[in-house]
Amino acid sequence: MSSIRDDYIAPWWTYWLHNFPHVNLNFQPIDNTFSPQDQNYQQSLIFLGCVAAAGLGLNLLCLAIYLSCLCCCRKDEDEESKRPNSCCVTWSAVVAGLISCAAVGVGFYGNSETNDGVYQLTYSLYNANHTLGGVDNLVTNTMGSMESGLKQHLARLDEIFATRGDYVQTLRFMQQMADNVIKQLLGLPDWDTAKVDLAAVADQTAYVEYYRWLTYLLLLILDLVICLAACLGLAKQSRWLLTTMMVFGVLTLILSWASLGVDLATAVGTSDFCVIPDKFIMNQTKDLISSDIVHYYLYCSQTLPNPFQQSLTIFQRSLTTMQIQIQGLLQFAVPLFPTAERDLLGIQHLLNSSEASLHQLTALLDCRGLNKDYLDALIGVCYDGVEGLLYLCLFSILAICAFCAMLCAIPRAWTHIASRERDYDDIDEEDPFNPQARRMTTHNPNHATNVHSFCSYSSSMGSQSSLHPPAAQAGSNAPVSEYMNQSALFGGNQRYENVPLIGRGSPPPSVYTQQFRNRYSPSMRATYLSMTEDQIRHFGNDFQA
């Protein structure tokens, strides 16, 4: 028998997955023919899941080594090295966010495609089950009417026509035709077993698919929430939020690797079926249905003979012969035996209903209906289903990359935040350029009245020269005077950026000089630069007081 078909061609990605190495747990290559009952074949699919588990272990090991190096090799960084690290953290977070968003989009598409393919499979299975169930009901009802209804009518007519041997002989002939119809119906395959199996497969598939779809939907939402929460933690510089998202990121990383293993094994197994589906179907039904019948429905070619044609033809001829006999009895026997009319009309009605059942049975047994359901199921599984699984595999890979980047960026961001808070705590509260000191001045009016503005010194230069501060206080403010001179003279010059300031570990002069320029107008800065050293010392004494 020919096994070449033009109505179904497996997509290229199924051949690509079908050619994946099939190795059992003993690392022995096996045949890639789809045989889920074979233990070695099951181990080959489990092996793919083990590969994903090994990838998870290697990934976690690399992350652990990275975090250990980050914790052990961390050194204090100067101001010039902080900016590149901050930019590195920012770009890592941006890349992780973009990859995560792309992964979620791909995951939603793949989940929808897989659900569409499985839905088409279950829909085709239910249609095929309905067809086979209709065949089984028609055969059962026809046989029941022939065995019970026709038998009762013939028994009563046999009593009525007891005196006419020719009529009794006609009744015997009709009984033989009825037995012949029952024999042909019994020769049809028993679809009840196949019908129950299809219904069970469809129900179980729909049940598993619903929870699979829901699980992936929750996983996609979880990935999106973790990504948004991590971005919020970076924006708010919240260490506890970043730590929490790091824990959830590790959990999601494990789930992504697990989903990758399951999807890859499922895609490979399904592709093995899609490459040669007819062979598997024939092997599964060889003990239930004749191979000629299965081949007829799988290929549905005009060159193939209909295995039911002979039975249906005999059925049709038997019904036609019985109808001719009933028409003759109605025409010749009813005038002699009026009481026989009711039973004869009952037999005629039974034969008419059997003929209608014959036409329905012929239509249902035609290969085009079941073959269409079979092809729809194949297209749903092998095109939409496997394609959706490949997109889900891509989603898992992108999610793994995104969360690896996030897990590498969060510790650096956490360290950067901690370093900034430590530097902020080390700032002198009495420093006039400290923002915290300005906030304290704003909330403490009494302290603000003791700090003279720069304008008061510029407008009363003569009165300032008459002030004579104590020697101890002047000595204590010598660092301030020297700093102010260095800031005024060398501010903005990179050559003097590293000149140490006497008595304190302050930042380079250019930092305060820039704040000085931003705070005061050019005329005020010119007035300050024209002051003498004694006036600057008095300015520093009063400013610090």
Side-chain angles (χ1 to χ4, degrees), residues 128 131-132 191 297 364 366-375:
T131 301
L132 298 180
W191 299 105
Y297 283 113
L364 291 177
D366 188 76
C367 65
R368 288 173 292 182
L370 288 177
N371 182 259
K372 181 180 181 302
D373 295 332
Y374 174 64
L375 293 178

Side-chain angles (χ1 to χ4, degrees), residues 200-418:
V201 170
D203 292 338
Q204 186 176 5
T205 303
Y207 177 81
V208 173
E209 169 58 20
Y210 171 75
Y211 285 101
R212 186 211 62 80
W213 175 83
L214 183 61
T215 301
Y216 268 98
L217 182 63
L218 295 177
L219 181 61
L220 292 169
I221 295 175
L222 178 63
D223 288 355
L224 190 60
V225 169
I226 291 176
C227 179
L228 294 177
C231 293
L232 180 63
L234 291 174
K236 296 293 185 181
Q237 297 185 356
S238 175
R239 285 188 290 177
W240 70 267
L241 184 57
L242 291 176
T243 304
T244 304
M245 290 305 103
M246 188 172 182
V247 174
F248 280 100
V250 173
L251 176 61
T252 310
L253 185 65
I254 296 174
L255 294 178
S256 298
W257 276 106
S259 65
L260 177 61
V262 173
D263 292 336
L264 182 60
T266 306
V268 171
T270 307
S271 298
D272 293 338
F273 166 78
C274 293
V275 171
I276 314 177
D278 303 331
K279 182 178 179 180
F280 175 75
I281 298 296
M282 304 239 350
N283 291 334
Q284 292 297 311
T285 57
K286 62 182 179 180
D287 297 332
L288 301 175
I289 306 173
S290 173
S291 60
D292 295 336
I293 297 176
V294 177
H295 196 271
Y296 169 71
Y297 283 113
L298 291 181
Y299 295 96
C300 193
S301 175
Q302 295 181 354
T303 59
L304 295 175
N306 188 343
F308 309 108
Q309 187 63 44
Q310 184 178 1
S311 298
L312 295 176
T313 302
I314 296 175
F315 188 2
Q316 178 66 46
R317 291 176 180 177
S318 299
L319 289 179
T320 303
T321 302
M322 294 172 67
Q323 289 176 345
I324 294 173
Q325 298 297 326
I326 291 297
Q327 288 292 338
L329 291 176
L330 286 173
Q331 183 178 359
F332 299 104
V334 170
L336 300 176
F337 302 95
T339 56
E341 183 179 6
R342 180 180 179 182
D343 292 310
L344 291 175
L345 291 176
I347 293 175
Q348 188 179 37
H349 177 71
L350 188 147
L351 294 176
N352 291 333
S353 63
S354 297
E355 186 177 8
S357 299
L358 173 64
H359 293 306
Q360 295 179 11
L361 187 62
T362 303
L364 291 177
L365 289 176
D366 188 76
C367 65
R368 288 173 292 182
L370 288 177
N371 182 259
K372 181 180 181 302
D373 295 332
Y374 174 64
L375 293 178
D376 289 343
L378 285 180
I379 292 174
V381 172
C382 302
Y383 280 82
D384 294 338
V386 178
E387 183 184 5
L389 289 175
L390 288 177
Y391 277 109
L392 289 178
C393 291
L394 179 59
F395 152 72
S396 299
I397 294 174
L398 292 177
I400 290 169
C401 296
F403 283 104
C404 285
M406 187 183 73
L407 292 175
C408 292
I410 286 179
R412 285 191 172 274
W414 197 90
T415 304
H416 184 69
I417 294 172

Side-chain angles (χ1 to χ4, degrees), residues 159-219:
E159 294 177 358
I160 296 174
F161 297 148
T163 58
R164 294 292 303 266
D166 53 346
Y167 292 162
V168 173
Q169 187 66 27
T170 302
L171 295 178
R172 296 289 183 272
F173 181 74
M174 293 178 61
Q175 183 63 49
Q176 292 178 0
M177 292 295 101
D179 294 338
N180 196 17
V181 170
I182 294 174
K183 181 180 178 180
Q184 298 303 321
L185 292 176
L186 290 175
L188 296 177
D190 185 10
W191 299 105
D192 188 62
T193 304
K195 179 192 67 174
V196 172
D197 290 342
L198 286 179
V201 170
D203 292 338
Q204 186 176 5
T205 303
Y207 177 81
V208 173
E209 169 58 20
Y210 171 75
Y211 285 101
R212 186 211 62 80
W213 175 83
L214 183 61
T215 301
Y216 268 98
L217 182 63
L218 295 177
L219 181 61

